[in-house]
Each structure stands twice: as structure tokens, then as C-alpha cells.
Amino acid sequence: MKNIQNKWIRGAIPALLLHCSIGTVYCWSMFSQEVANYIGFSKGAVEWAFSFAIFFLGMSAAFLGGLVEKNIHKSSLIASVTFALGMAGTGFFIWYGGKCLQAGKPSVLSLIGIYVSYGFVMGIGLGTGYLSPVKTLMLWFKDKKGLATGLAVAGFGAAKAIASPIMQGMLDKMGVTGIYKMFYILAAVYFVMMMAGHFMLAKPEGWVEPQVKTKENGIISSLKVEPISSYIGIWLMFYINITCGLAIISQEKMIVKCLGLGTIAGYISTISALFNAGGRLGFSACADQLRDRNTIYKIIFALSIGFTLIVLLTGGIARGAGNMILTLFVLLLIFVVNAGYGGGFSNVPTLLSDHYGMGNISAIHGITLSAWAFAGLSGNQLASFIVNHTGNFVDVAGVKANPAGYQNVLIVTTILYAVAMCLSLFLVRPMKKEENKAE
């Protein structure tokens, strides 16, 4: 009974506390327009804060993965402090920007301060906080590693669905002029949650870390157990899955409006967020039952290609308004892409552990998350470029939208998903579970 309690008290619960806190980074789009109005800059300029946050998430995970490997308590403490400081700093620079605007001149310093606070400082907390509980969970749940990591990463995916209505309620109560106060409150709440996770998180008794000469030698020697092409394949298919997911998800709201469902766009967004979280848990739990965990990626890419082709061939986005069947196809595509996007995240650490063992998994996982950093910059921008340079903007239910442009985004993502499928089939080394590296 004690061992069962420890699995949850020392592994699963602290992981959820950490991931449900840092996952709220995805809520930025909720209030980016309000922040832009408050400090006197464009929404596009303000939205770069989120892109920087995701970039530094991946980069901090890549460079601090060795620290996480050596000491999860130090890394989870760094995550708690930097995430809360970044949140509070964002609130301060929003307040400062509002004061400058009231004085008659927007302050570039306030915008840079938001980039540094929400992007760089919080980004460090995001990367270290994301990595810290993952290896611990896989050690506690050795027979169900996918289920365990899926549970934690699902917390990251579900954070937006949980926090969004709370944040919206705070904004409604305090008003736009109190938006900076919301960040102060959130900084305090998330600091308490993450510190609780920090104190609870612990590896199983008796686990002894393998001895390596240096961080660099440890990573290199771990990767050398297989042809480097196998790791390159994992990195690239992870990168492509995130890029395609972000490209479609970033246009989700406007696609829904093209279907004539603008009035329920918020509900659809919540449902898609649940699919995102469910994909993280469901795909990784299913992978525990498979002989080769890479099979899950083949399933994700096959589903994504299939539903994208259906929408492309039927012209679902451009012709879906008023047509129940075409509308259903487009919504299913959105939900499938969200589920596959989430499932790609939750299966990476377990796939890597199957191929390279548990000895240096946090560092290897951290380097692999650099794919997230680059995809965070390329996914949204790829979709925006296609939409802004192809097709035509027309009036759809009172807003300007580009149905043909959104269809063209799907053409590009279909090609990329096909490339990822080829990588999964031909570059990533097939592996049976009985061949997994010793733990």
C-alpha cells in the first residue's frame, strides 16, 4: 500500500501540480489583445511573447537537461521560482506600459520587458518544469511508462481548458485596467502549486543513477547505442508533428468561423483542448500495449493524413457552412490534429527510453525538446505566411477570412505529415519491447 501511495504522492501528483501550472502558458492568446490595448502596441507584436516562451522552453530543456538528470529537486525549484518570477515580471511590465501610455507615449521598454519576462524567464521555468517529473514518473511506473507520462503531459495540455474560464472570470471582475493584477495573483498561486510539487517530487528508493564521466560523454555514449539516423528520425518527426499541429491549431478559430460556427467557437476550442489532453493520455497508454512504441506515431500520422485529405478533397473549409457532413469532417480534422499533437508530446520520452535506456533520459529528452523550440517559431508563421499570400480574404459572418488560404495550409501539412510518416517507417529503427535497453 505504501508503494502505491508513493507512486502518486511522489510521482503523479507533483507532476500534475507542475505541468498544470506551466501549461497555462497557452492561455496567452486569451488576453493578448487586452495586453496590446493596455500598453499601446499591436496584437501581433504582443503575441511574440508566446513564441519566445515556447522557444526558450525548448532551449532551456535542451541546455538544462543535464541538470534535471543530476538533481530533480534543484531543477523543480528553479522551475518554480523562474515561472513565478516571469509571471510577476509580465504583470509589472504591463503595469509600466499602461502608465507610459496614459502619459501619452507607449514604451518599447515595456514590450521588451514582457518578452524577457514571459518569454525568457518563464521559458526557463517551462523547460525545467516540463522535464523534472518525467523521468521520475517512468521510474515509478516502469510497467506503464506511457500511461504515467501521458497523465502528466495531459495536465500540461488540459491546463488551458482548466485555467481559461478562471482567468476570464478574473478579467471580467477586475476589468481590463486590472489585467496586470491578474498576473500578480497567478504568480502567487502557481508558485504555491509548483513549490508543493517540488517538495513532493522524489525518485523511488533504491534507484541509483548510472555513473557517467561528463554530461556530454553521457549523452553521446547513450545515443551511440543505435545509428544516429534513428535519433535524427525521432527528432524530425517530432518537429514536423508540432509544426503541422501548430499550423492548423493557430488557424482553428478562423476555420470555425468559415463554417458559420463563430458563436460557439469557444466551446469548440474547449473540446479541442480536451482532445489535446486526451491524446496525450490515450495515445501513450495505448503505446504501453504495443511491441514497438513508434507504431503510435504511424497511427497519428495516418489519421492526420486521412482526415486532412478528406477535407481537402471535399473543400470542407470553403464549402462547409450550412453542410452538416462537411462541417463534421472539418471538426473531426481539428480534433484529430489536436489529439495527435498532444500524443506526439507524451510518447517522445517513453520512445526515447525504449531506444536509449533510462540512464541519461532527461538530458536526451531535453535535447529532443529543442524541436519544440524551433517548431514554436515555424508552425504559426508558416500558416500565417500561406494565409496572407494565397487565396483571397472575403467577408464571412462579418469578419474577413480566407477559406482558400486555410485549405492551402492543409496541402502543406499533408505533405509534411507524409514526410513524417516516411521518417517513422524507414529512418527510426524498429524495436520490440523485449529489446529495450536495460534500466
Side-chain angles (χ1 to χ4, degrees):
M1 183 66 178
K2 181 181 178 182
N3 188 48
I4 294 175
Q5 288 178 337
N6 282 344
K7 285 184 177 182
W8 294 96
I9 295 173
R10 293 300 193 182
I13 294 175
L16 285 172
L17 287 170
L18 289 166
H19 276 217
C20 282
S21 298
I22 63 177
T24 55
V25 66
Y26 279 114
C27 293
W28 182 253
S29 61
M30 274 187 58
F31 38 74
S32 57
Q33 184 64 65
E34 286 79 1
V35 172
N37 295 340
Y38 194 75
I39 66 174
F41 285 90
S42 69
K43 185 173 183 289
V46 168
E47 284 181 340
W48 272 101
F50 173 76
S51 295
F52 289 138
I54 298 302
F55 178 78
F56 284 110
L57 183 161
M59 287 294 99
S60 63
F63 285 100
L64 297 177
L67 170 65
V68 177
E69 194 70 61
K70 293 176 182 177
N71 193 327
I72 58 168
H73 290 107
K74 183 179 291 185
S75 64
S76 59
L77 177 61
I78 291 172
S80 304
V81 172
T82 54
F83 187 80
L85 277 177
M87 188 74 75
T90 302
F92 171 79
F93 283 106
I94 292 172
W95 168 83
Y96 177 75
K99 287 292 183 183
C100 292
L101 185 63
Q102 290 174 13
K105 187 177 181 180
S107 170
V108 175
L109 178 61
S110 68
L111 184 62
I112 295 174
I114 291 172
Y115 289 164
V116 172
S117 299
Y118 201 87
F120 176 68
V121 179
M122 264 181 60
I124 295 174
L126 289 166
T128 52
Y130 190 92
L131 278 182
S132 291
V134 172
K135 178 175 179 176
T136 303
L137 280 169
M138 289 193 286
L139 292 174
W140 278 114
F141 295 83
K142 288 186 177 181
D143 296 330
K144 298 290 182 182
K145 292 188 292 186
L147 175 64
T149 56
L151 180 66
V153 180
F156 190 96
K160 181 180 179 180
I162 297 170
S164 292
I166 297 173
M167 293 181 180
Q168 189 61 55
M170 294 172 69
L171 283 176
D172 293 341
K173 185 174 182 179
M174 293 186 294
V176 176
T177 56
I179 190 169
Y180 67 89
K181 297 177 184 177
M182 180 185 74
F183 281 88
Y184 294 152
I185 295 170
L186 293 176
V189 171
Y190 291 135
F191 180 72
V192 172
M193 288 175 59
M194 294 181 73
M195 284 300 293
H198 158 70
F199 286 119
M200 295 169 67
L201 188 66
K203 293 179 180 178
E205 293 182 10
W207 169 257
V208 179
E209 295 288 352
Q211 297 297 311
V212 295
K213 294 180 181 179
T214 66
K215 179 183 74 172
E216 291 78 7
N217 288 340
I219 296 172
I220 293 172
S221 62
S222 295
L223 292 178
K224 280 184 176 179
V225 300
E226 291 189 5
I228 193 63
S229 59
S230 188
Y231 177 75
I232 292 173
I234 293 173
W235 193 98
L236 286 174
M237 69 182 191
F238 184 46
Y239 166 77
I240 291 173
N241 191 52
I242 301 172
T243 297
C244 291
L246 288 176
I248 295 174
I249 293 169
S250 66
Q251 304 302 317
E252 180 181 308
K253 184 176 180 180
M254 294 307 299
I255 290 173
V256 169
K257 287 185 177 181
C258 288
L259 300 175
L261 302 176
T263 56
I264 60 170
Y267 295 104
I268 293 174
S269 178
T270 299
I271 295 171
S272 65
L274 293 175
F275 269 89
N276 191 318
R280 294 168 191 255
L281 181 59
F283 279 123
S284 55
C286 289
D288 285 332
Q289 312 304 317
L290 300 174
R291 295 170 69 86
D292 182 6
R293 210 175 289 270
N294 184 34
T295 302
I296 280 294
Y297 285 96
K298 298 181 179 72
I299 294 172
I300 289 172
F301 299 141
L303 288 170
S304 301
I305 292 170
F307 279 94
T308 306
L309 284 175
I310 290 173
V311 174
L312 278 175
L313 294 174
T314 60
I317 297 175
R319 300 165 52 196
N323 187 313
M324 185 178 298
I325 295 177
L326 295 184
T327 296
L328 179 61
F329 285 154
V330 176
L331 292 179
L332 285 175
L333 169 64
I334 290 172
F335 299 152
V336 165
V337 167
N338 271 276
Y341 176 81
F345 280 106
S346 59
N347 278 282
V348 158
T350 47
L351 177 64
L352 291 170
S353 70
D354 282 357
H355 280 264
Y356 303 105
M358 292 293 294
N360 220 12
I361 189 61
S362 294
I364 296 173
H365 186 204
I367 292 174
T368 309
L369 288 180
S370 63
W372 192 1
F374 293 108
L377 294 177
S378 64
N380 293 14
Q381 281 69 27
L382 172 66
S384 296
F385 180 85
I386 295 171
V387 172
N388 291 330
H389 291 83
T390 67
N392 295 295
F393 282 87
V394 296
D395 185 78
V396 178
V399 298
K400 292 294 183 180
N402 185 356
Y406 308 137
Q407 290 277 143
N408 292 336
V409 171
L410 299 187
I411 294 174
V412 175
T413 58
T414 303
I415 296 171
L416 290 175
Y417 277 131
V419 171
M421 175 66 89
C422 291
L423 292 170
S424 182
L425 286 168
F426 304 117
L427 202 60
V428 179
R429 176 177 175 267
M431 189 170 204
K432 297 178 182 178
K433 287 201 171 180
E434 57 265 27
E435 295 175 355
N436 291 357
K437 304 295 179 282
E439 296 177 357

PDB file of all heavy atoms in Angstrom, residues 61-90:
ATOM      1  N   ALA A  61      15.197  23.397 -21.951  1.00  0.00           N
ATOM      2  CA  ALA A  61      15.162  21.943 -21.773  1.00  0.00           C
ATOM      3  C   ALA A  61      16.404  21.302 -22.380  1.00  0.00           C
ATOM      4  O   ALA A  61      16.994  20.374 -21.803  1.00  0.00           O
ATOM      5  CB  ALA A  61      13.896  21.370 -22.414  1.00  0.00           C
ATOM      6  N   ALA A  62      16.819  21.798 -23.550  1.00  0.00           N
ATOM      7  CA  ALA A  62      17.994  21.241 -24.215  1.00  0.00           C
ATOM      8  C   ALA A  62      19.270  21.486 -23.414  1.00  0.00           C
ATOM      9  O   ALA A  62      20.100  20.588 -23.253  1.00  0.00           O
ATOM     10  CB  ALA A  62      18.126  21.838 -25.618  1.00  0.00           C
ATOM     11  N   PHE A  63      19.431  22.708 -22.890  1.00  0.00           N
ATOM     12  CA  PHE A  63      20.676  23.058 -22.213  1.00  0.00           C
ATOM     13  C   PHE A  63      20.688  22.681 -20.733  1.00  0.00           C
ATOM     14  O   PHE A  63      21.758  22.529 -20.139  1.00  0.00           O
ATOM     15  CB  PHE A  63      20.960  24.554 -22.370  1.00  0.00           C
ATOM     16  CG  PHE A  63      21.442  24.937 -23.730  1.00  0.00           C
ATOM     17  CD1 PHE A  63      20.580  25.491 -24.660  1.00  0.00           C
ATOM     18  CD2 PHE A  63      22.760  24.716 -24.106  1.00  0.00           C
ATOM     19  CE1 PHE A  63      21.016  25.841 -25.936  1.00  0.00           C
ATOM     20  CE2 PHE A  63      23.211  25.055 -25.371  1.00  0.00           C
ATOM     21  CZ  PHE A  63      22.337  25.608 -26.295  1.00  0.00           C
ATOM     22  N   LEU A  64      19.507  22.543 -20.131  1.00  0.00           N
ATOM     23  CA  LEU A  64      19.450  22.223 -18.700  1.00  0.00           C
ATOM     24  C   LEU A  64      19.009  20.791 -18.437  1.00  0.00           C
ATOM     25  O   LEU A  64      18.779  20.411 -17.289  1.00  0.00           O
ATOM     26  CB  LEU A  64      18.501  23.197 -17.981  1.00  0.00           C
ATOM     27  CG  LEU A  64      18.921  24.669 -18.013  1.00  0.00           C
ATOM     28  CD1 LEU A  64      17.881  25.542 -17.331  1.00  0.00           C
ATOM     29  CD2 LEU A  64      20.280  24.856 -17.340  1.00  0.00           C
ATOM     30  N   GLY A  65      18.897  19.998 -19.516  1.00  0.00           N
ATOM     31  CA  GLY A  65      18.520  18.597 -19.338  1.00  0.00           C
ATOM     32  C   GLY A  65      19.489  17.840 -18.454  1.00  0.00           C
ATOM     33  O   GLY A  65      19.097  16.975 -17.670  1.00  0.00           O
ATOM     34  N   GLY A  66      20.780  18.173 -18.549  1.00  0.00           N
ATOM     35  CA  GLY A  66      21.780  17.531 -17.705  1.00  0.00           C
ATOM     36  C   GLY A  66      21.569  17.841 -16.236  1.00  0.00           C
ATOM     37  O   GLY A  66      21.761  16.979 -15.367  1.00  0.00           O
ATOM     38  N   LEU A  67      21.165  19.081 -15.930  1.00  0.00           N
ATOM     39  CA  LEU A  67      20.873  19.464 -14.547  1.00  0.00           C
ATOM     40  C   LEU A  67      19.700  18.657 -14.010  1.00  0.00           C
ATOM     41  O   LEU A  67      19.723  18.172 -12.869  1.00  0.00           O
ATOM     42  CB  LEU A  67      20.566  20.962 -14.473  1.00  0.00           C
ATOM     43  CG  LEU A  67      20.020  21.473 -13.132  1.00  0.00           C
ATOM     44  CD1 LEU A  67      21.068  21.306 -12.041  1.00  0.00           C
ATOM     45  CD2 LEU A  67      19.592  22.933 -13.248  1.00  0.00           C
ATOM     46  N   VAL A  68      18.651  18.526 -14.838  1.00  0.00           N
ATOM     47  CA  VAL A  68      17.481  17.740 -14.431  1.00  0.00           C
ATOM     48  C   VAL A  68      17.900  16.302 -14.162  1.00  0.00           C
ATOM     49  O   VAL A  68      17.428  15.671 -13.211  1.00  0.00           O
ATOM     50  CB  VAL A  68      16.387  17.790 -15.517  1.00  0.00           C
ATOM     51  CG1 VAL A  68      15.196  16.920 -15.115  1.00  0.00           C
ATOM     52  CG2 VAL A  68      15.927  19.228 -15.759  1.00  0.00           C
ATOM     53  N   GLU A  69      18.796  15.784 -15.007  1.00  0.00           N
ATOM     54  CA  GLU A  69      19.275  14.406 -14.844  1.00  0.00           C
ATOM     55  C   GLU A  69      19.957  14.229 -13.502  1.00  0.00           C
ATOM     56  O   GLU A  69      19.766  13.216 -12.818  1.00  0.00           O
ATOM     57  CB  GLU A  69      20.261  14.096 -15.980  1.00  0.00           C
ATOM     58  CG  GLU A  69      20.581  12.623 -16.134  1.00  0.00           C
ATOM     59  CD  GLU A  69      19.407  11.835 -16.666  1.00  0.00           C
ATOM     60  OE1 GLU A  69      18.941  12.109 -17.779  1.00  0.00           O
ATOM     61  OE2 GLU A  69      18.946  10.938 -15.924  1.00  0.00           O
ATOM     62  N   LYS A  70      20.742  15.215 -13.084  1.00  0.00           N
ATOM     63  CA  LYS A  70      21.524  15.095 -11.857  1.00  0.00           C
ATOM     64  C   LYS A  70      20.695  15.351 -10.603  1.00  0.00           C
ATOM     65  O   LYS A  70      20.882  14.684  -9.583  1.00  0.00           O
ATOM     66  CB  LYS A  70      22.693  16.089 -11.887  1.00  0.00           C
ATOM     67  CG  LYS A  70      23.746  15.780 -12.941  1.00  0.00           C
ATOM     68  CD  LYS A  70      24.814  16.862 -12.954  1.00  0.00           C
ATOM     69  CE  LYS A  70      25.854  16.606 -14.035  1.00  0.00           C
ATOM     70  NZ  LYS A  70      26.853  17.696 -14.099  1.00  0.00           N
ATOM     71  N   ASN A  71      19.777  16.334 -10.664  1.00  0.00           N
ATOM     72  CA  ASN A  71      19.094  16.749  -9.430  1.00  0.00           C
ATOM     73  C   ASN A  71      17.705  17.312  -9.748  1.00  0.00           C
ATOM     74  O   ASN A  71      17.567  18.488 -10.090  1.00  0.00           O
ATOM     75  CB  ASN A  71      19.943  17.804  -8.712  1.00  0.00           C
ATOM     76  CG  ASN A  71      19.474  18.050  -7.291  1.00  0.00           C
ATOM     77  OD1 ASN A  71      18.298  17.976  -6.996  1.00  0.00           O
ATOM     78  ND2 ASN A  71      20.415  18.356  -6.406  1.00  0.00           N
ATOM     79  N   ILE A  72      16.683  16.474  -9.622  1.00  0.00           N
ATOM     80  CA  ILE A  72      15.326  16.930  -9.944  1.00  0.00           C
ATOM     81  C   ILE A  72      14.818  17.954  -8.936  1.00  0.00           C
ATOM     82  O   ILE A  72      13.954  18.776  -9.262  1.00  0.00           O
ATOM     83  CB  ILE A  72      14.329  15.754 -10.027  1.00  0.00           C
ATOM     84  CG1 ILE A  72      14.292  14.975  -8.709  1.00  0.00           C
ATOM     85  CG2 ILE A  72      14.640  14.854 -11.196  1.00  0.00           C
ATOM     86  CD1 ILE A  72      13.143  13.991  -8.628  1.00  0.00           C
ATOM     87  N   HIS A  73      15.354  17.930  -7.720  1.00  0.00           N
ATOM     88  CA  HIS A  73      14.899  18.901  -6.729  1.00  0.00           C
ATOM     89  C   HIS A  73      15.422  20.297  -7.046  1.00  0.00           C
ATOM     90  O   HIS A  73      14.711  21.288  -6.903  1.00  0.00           O
ATOM     91  CB  HIS A  73      15.332  18.456  -5.323  1.00  0.00           C
ATOM     92  CG  HIS A  73      14.608  17.249  -4.834  1.00  0.00           C
ATOM     93  ND1 HIS A  73      15.196  16.017  -4.747  1.00  0.00           N
ATOM     94  CD2 HIS A  73      13.314  17.074  -4.452  1.00  0.00           C
ATOM     95  CE1 HIS A  73      14.308  15.137  -4.319  1.00  0.00           C
ATOM     96  NE2 HIS A  73      13.158  15.753  -4.138  1.00  0.00           N
ATOM     97  N   LYS A  74      16.661  20.361  -7.489  1.00  0.00           N
ATOM     98  CA  LYS A  74      17.191  21.662  -7.883  1.00  0.00           C
ATOM     99  C   LYS A  74      16.470  22.183  -9.121  1.00  0.00           C
ATOM    100  O   LYS A  74      16.116  23.360  -9.202  1.00  0.00           O
ATOM    101  CB  LYS A  74      18.699  21.560  -8.154  1.00  0.00           C
ATOM    102  CG  LYS A  74      19.353  22.888  -8.495  1.00  0.00           C
ATOM    103  CD  LYS A  74      20.850  22.720  -8.729  1.00  0.00           C
ATOM    104  CE  LYS A  74      21.567  22.389  -7.442  1.00  0.00           C
ATOM    105  NZ  LYS A  74      23.056  22.347  -7.645  1.00  0.00           N
ATOM    106  N   SER A  75      16.220  21.294 -10.103  1.00  0.00           N
ATOM    107  CA  SER A  75      15.575  21.735 -11.337  1.00  0.00           C
ATOM    108  C   SER A  75      14.120  22.132 -11.097  1.00  0.00           C
ATOM    109  O   SER A  75      13.632  23.111 -11.669  1.00  0.00           O
ATOM    110  CB  SER A  75      15.646  20.636 -12.399  1.00  0.00           C
ATOM    111  OG  SER A  75      14.925  19.489 -12.022  1.00  0.00           O
ATOM    112  N   SER A  76      13.396  21.400 -10.241  1.00  0.00           N
ATOM    113  CA  SER A  76      12.000  21.766  -9.971  1.00  0.00           C
ATOM    114  C   SER A  76      11.909  23.049  -9.154  1.00  0.00           C
ATOM    115  O   SER A  76      10.956  23.822  -9.290  1.00  0.00           O
ATOM    116  CB  SER A  76      11.276  20.624  -9.253  1.00  0.00           C
ATOM    117  OG  SER A  76      11.902  20.289  -8.027  1.00  0.00           O
ATOM    118  N   LEU A  77      12.937  23.314  -8.310  1.00  0.00           N
ATOM    119  CA  LEU A  77      12.977  24.582  -7.575  1.00  0.00           C
ATOM    120  C   LEU A  77      13.222  25.739  -8.537  1.00  0.00           C
ATOM    121  O   LEU A  77      12.562  26.788  -8.456  1.00  0.00           O
ATOM    122  CB  LEU A  77      14.081  24.536  -6.517  1.00  0.00           C
ATOM    123  CG  LEU A  77      14.289  25.830  -5.713  1.00  0.00           C
ATOM    124  CD1 LEU A  77      13.023  26.184  -4.933  1.00  0.00           C
ATOM    125  CD2 LEU A  77      15.484  25.682  -4.774  1.00  0.00           C
ATOM    126  N   ILE A  78      14.172  25.562  -9.464  1.00  0.00           N
ATOM    127  CA  ILE A  78      14.432  26.586 -10.483  1.00  0.00           C
ATOM    128  C   ILE A  78      13.170  26.851 -11.289  1.00  0.00           C
ATOM    129  O   ILE A  78      12.825  28.005 -11.576  1.00  0.00           O
ATOM    130  CB  ILE A  78      15.587  26.143 -11.413  1.00  0.00           C
ATOM    131  CG1 ILE A  78      16.906  26.144 -10.648  1.00  0.00           C
ATOM    132  CG2 ILE A  78      15.681  27.051 -12.640  1.00  0.00           C
ATOM    133  CD1 ILE A  78      18.060  25.537 -11.427  1.00  0.00           C
ATOM    134  N   ALA A  79      12.461  25.785 -11.643  1.00  0.00           N
ATOM    135  CA  ALA A  79      11.232  25.927 -12.417  1.00  0.00           C
ATOM    136  C   ALA A  79      10.193  26.748 -11.655  1.00  0.00           C
ATOM    137  O   ALA A  79       9.561  27.651 -12.217  1.00  0.00           O
ATOM    138  CB  ALA A  79      10.664  24.546 -12.760  1.00  0.00           C
ATOM    139  N   SER A  80      10.003  26.443 -10.382  1.00  0.00           N
ATOM    140  CA  SER A  80       9.002  27.143  -9.572  1.00  0.00           C
ATOM    141  C   SER A  80       9.312  28.631  -9.457  1.00  0.00           C
ATOM    142  O   SER A  80       8.431  29.484  -9.618  1.00  0.00           O
ATOM    143  CB  SER A  80       8.936  26.514  -8.169  1.00  0.00           C
ATOM    144  OG  SER A  80       8.679  25.134  -8.232  1.00  0.00           O
ATOM    145  N   VAL A  81      10.577  28.932  -9.183  1.00  0.00           N
ATOM    146  CA  VAL A  81      10.973  30.331  -8.970  1.00  0.00           C
ATOM    147  C   VAL A  81      10.917  31.125 -10.276  1.00  0.00           C
ATOM    148  O   VAL A  81      10.353  32.222 -10.324  1.00  0.00           O
ATOM    149  CB  VAL A  81      12.394  30.391  -8.361  1.00  0.00           C
ATOM    150  CG1 VAL A  81      12.893  31.833  -8.318  1.00  0.00           C
ATOM    151  CG2 VAL A  81      12.396  29.779  -6.963  1.00  0.00           C
ATOM    152  N   THR A  82      11.492  30.587 -11.344  1.00  0.00           N
ATOM    153  CA  THR A  82      11.548  31.346 -12.598  1.00  0.00           C
ATOM    154  C   THR A  82      10.169  31.509 -13.240  1.00  0.00           C
ATOM    155  O   THR A  82       9.877  32.557 -13.816  1.00  0.00           O
ATOM    156  CB  THR A  82      12.514  30.695 -13.599  1.00  0.00           C
ATOM    157  OG1 THR A  82      12.161  29.316 -13.775  1.00  0.00           O
ATOM    158  CG2 THR A  82      13.945  30.784 -13.113  1.00  0.00           C
ATOM    159  N   PHE A  83       9.326  30.480 -13.145  1.00  0.00           N
ATOM    160  CA  PHE A  83       7.990  30.604 -13.722  1.00  0.00           C
ATOM    161  C   PHE A  83       7.198  31.686 -12.996  1.00  0.00           C
ATOM    162  O   PHE A  83       6.557  32.536 -13.625  1.00  0.00           O
ATOM    163  CB  PHE A  83       7.249  29.272 -13.655  1.00  0.00           C
ATOM    164  CG  PHE A  83       5.922  29.278 -14.380  1.00  0.00           C
ATOM    165  CD1 PHE A  83       5.878  29.126 -15.761  1.00  0.00           C
ATOM    166  CD2 PHE A  83       4.727  29.457 -13.692  1.00  0.00           C
ATOM    167  CE1 PHE A  83       4.660  29.142 -16.447  1.00  0.00           C
ATOM    168  CE2 PHE A  83       3.515  29.468 -14.360  1.00  0.00           C
ATOM    169  CZ  PHE A  83       3.481  29.316 -15.745  1.00  0.00           C
ATOM    170  N   ALA A  84       7.244  31.684 -11.672  1.00  0.00           N
ATOM    171  CA  ALA A  84       6.520  32.686 -10.896  1.00  0.00           C
ATOM    172  C   ALA A  84       7.098  34.085 -11.109  1.00  0.00           C
ATOM    173  O   ALA A  84       6.357  35.070 -11.248  1.00  0.00           O
ATOM    174  CB  ALA A  84       6.552  32.328  -9.415  1.00  0.00           C
ATOM    175  N   LEU A  85       8.437  34.183 -11.151  1.00  0.00           N
ATOM    176  CA  LEU A  85       9.077  35.484 -11.395  1.00  0.00           C
ATOM    177  C   LEU A  85       8.706  36.017 -12.780  1.00  0.00           C
ATOM    178  O   LEU A  85       8.443  37.212 -12.942  1.00  0.00           O
ATOM    179  CB  LEU A  85      10.594  35.358 -11.278  1.00  0.00           C
ATOM    180  CG  LEU A  85      11.197  35.413  -9.876  1.00  0.00           C
ATOM    181  CD1 LEU A  85      12.705  35.210  -9.939  1.00  0.00           C
ATOM    182  CD2 LEU A  85      10.871  36.737  -9.189  1.00  0.00           C
ATOM    183  N   GLY A  86       8.706  35.132 -13.767  1.00  0.00           N
ATOM    184  CA  GLY A  86       8.342  35.551 -15.110  1.00  0.00           C
ATOM    185  C   GLY A  86       6.906  36.048 -15.181  1.00  0.00           C
ATOM    186  O   GLY A  86       6.611  37.044 -15.849  1.00  0.00           O
ATOM    187  N   MET A  87       6.006  35.348 -14.494  1.00  0.00           N
ATOM    188  CA  MET A  87       4.605  35.759 -14.468  1.00  0.00           C
ATOM    189  C   MET A  87       4.451  37.119 -13.782  1.00  0.00           C
ATOM    190  O   MET A  87       3.761  38.013 -14.281  1.00  0.00           O
ATOM    191  CB  MET A  87       3.785  34.700 -13.735  1.00  0.00           C
ATOM    192  CG  MET A  87       2.280  34.900 -13.783  1.00  0.00           C
ATOM    193  SD  MET A  87       1.539  34.524 -15.380  1.00  0.00           S
ATOM    194  CE  MET A  87       1.560  32.735 -15.387  1.00  0.00           C
ATOM    195  N   ALA A  88       5.106  37.287 -12.627  1.00  0.00           N
ATOM    196  CA  ALA A  88       5.037  38.561 -11.911  1.00  0.00           C
ATOM    197  C   ALA A  88       5.696  39.684 -12.710  1.00  0.00           C
ATOM    198  O   ALA A  88       5.188  40.816 -12.754  1.00  0.00           O
ATOM    199  CB  ALA A  88       5.703  38.425 -10.541  1.00  0.00           C
ATOM    200  N   GLY A  89       6.827  39.372 -13.354  1.00  0.00           N
ATOM    201  CA  GLY A  89       7.507  40.372 -14.169  1.00  0.00           C
ATOM    202  C   GLY A  89       6.649  40.819 -15.338  1.00  0.00           C
ATOM    203  O   GLY A  89       6.634  42.002 -15.704  1.00  0.00           O
ATOM    204  N   THR A  90       5.915  39.883 -15.932  1.00  0.00           N
ATOM    205  CA  THR A  90       4.997  40.242 -17.015  1.00  0.00           C
ATOM    206  C   THR A  90       3.953  41.226 -16.518  1.00  0.00           C
ATOM    207  O   THR A  90       3.646  42.223 -17.188  1.00  0.00           O
ATOM    208  CB  THR A  90       4.306  38.975 -17.566  1.00  0.00           C
ATOM    209  OG1 THR A  90       5.299  38.057 -18.027  1.00  0.00           O
ATOM    210  CG2 THR A  90       3.373  39.324 -18.719  1.00  0.00           C
TER     211      THR A  90
END
